[in-house]
Amino acid sequence: MVAVAHGSRDPRALRTVTALLDLVRELRPGLDVRLGHIEIDEPALPATLAELGAGRAVLVPLLLSRGYHVKQDIPAAVADTPRLRTRVARPLGPHPLLVEALYERLVEAGWDDDPRARGTRGVVLAGAGSRDPESAADTRRTAAMLGERLGGVPVIPAYASAAAPTVPEALRALAARGRHRVAIASYFTAPGRFATQSAAHARGVAAAPLGAHPAVARLVLHRYDQALAAAPFAAPHRELATA
């Protein structure tokens, strides 16, 4: 498995992704798990793929929705290693395991499920943002699933860049609906600039990024298994796994 992370100038990001992959290895002893970054951090994805030579690999994006990195950057890196037989898994989200991790991060930050307070509560699901409409659709689906998990509390997706609404705009929209006790759920795989900026707008509970959560580790392996089962390995041109 090659886990594909975005990369960040925040040193916590690499530590977090490394811890997540350690959990994956614990869950699947014997699986060769490697890491490649799309940008900034090392090892870079092309270098990781080059090290594999003419073997086989399943690439699992540690990304939360469809978008440019999944549709363009990862296929481009794979195309530059024509001797390597590969499958590319779906991004992690949307999926119920991510929702469970988001819920538990909120609880860790101080959220409680008191039904008497639900009428004044809301959640902003803060993500990176993308101009790709499929990415926004994936995030909206996650927001809807999280709202169901929270017993009907409204959850508004918001973005740090490239898309609307912004986190402050989402907070104002909830306040206009009488939702003054609003938490921020961090829809980021690891800490970084956008996650930090989003959390800074919190007026109450601000959850940590998904990080090295057991549910996320299980989801990484689920996407790996899906990709393995989807079709035979192919080279040099591949499509995103659809299972």
Side-chain angles (χ1 to χ4, degrees), residues 10 24 30 33 46 61 64 70 83 94 111 129 151 165 179:
D10 189 325
V24 171
V33 180
L64 303 178
V70 171
R83 294 192 304 141
W111 178 276
R179 303 283 175 164

Side-chain angles (χ1 to χ4, degrees), residues 27 77 185 213 229 232:
L27 290 171
H213 191 284

